[in-house]
Amino acid sequence: MQRAESRLTPRLVDALYVEAMLLADEARAYFDEHGKDDRELLAPMLRVGFSCESLKVTTRLMHVIAWLLTRRAVEAGELNEVQGRHPSRRLGHAVDSDTALVAELPEDAQGLIRSSIDLYDRVKRIDSGMEQGESPAHSLMRRLRASL
């Protein structure tokens, strides 16, 4: 039986990495540039929430990118599997967004927040499956069976 790590293909890691980098660039452009106008139109407390949510997006994406870089290092032989699974190299914890607050933010901000949560959750499932020795595909099938 193959180990879960060997089923996490370089192609999947590369695709997730490209997605994470594109989303990080999109988030940076929005929150640092275009979103400033959106932020200024918000009530003072929502401005604070907007800033907090932008930090949460950044944190999620940086955790994902760091995890993917670790997986690339394992694939390249720069780290072995034991080093790659060390707790310090696992997917970092990201604080949940406040759904009520997010619903009051501009649509572009909401989209970036949702996208960062989706990507983080997908990588978290892969990371958790590796911890349990389960491939991402088997994990998905198990969850689908449980939901039916």
Side-chain angles (χ1 to χ4, degrees), residues 107-125:
E107 193 173 308
D108 288 341
Q110 289 181 38
L112 289 166
I113 293 165
R114 282 192 301 269
S115 294
S116 73
I117 291 169
D118 176 64
L119 178 60
Y120 180 85
D121 286 348
R122 284 186 282 141
V123 170
K124 185 176 180 179
R125 285 191 297 272

Side-chain angles (χ1 to χ4, degrees), residues 37-52:
D37 293 336
D38 288 347
R39 184 184 169 279
E40 292 306 315
L41 297 174
L42 298 172
M45 286 307 292
L46 280 177
R47 279 189 223 148
V48 172
F50 181 94
S51 296
C52 290

Side-chain angles (χ1 to χ4, degrees), residues 82-107:
V82 173
Q83 292 169 320
R85 287 185 306 204
H86 187 272
S88 67
R89 291 193 172 100
R90 300 302 299 266
L91 183 65
H93 174 71
V95 176
D96 292 334
S97 288
D98 179 340
T99 53
L101 169 74
V102 171
E104 295 186 54
L105 296 179
E107 193 173 308

Side-chain angles (χ1 to χ4, degrees), residues 52-70:
C52 290
E53 289 301 324
S54 74
L55 291 172
K56 290 176 187 179
V57 167
T58 302
T59 300
R60 278 184 210 107
L61 294 174
M62 292 303 104
H63 283 314
V64 166
I65 290 167
W67 186 88
L68 290 165
L69 288 172
T70 296

Side-chain angles (χ1 to χ4, degrees), residues 73-86:
V74 169
E75 185 63 33
E78 297 167 4
L79 297 173
N80 63 39
E81 280 299 335
V82 173
Q83 292 169 320
R85 287 185 306 204
H86 187 272

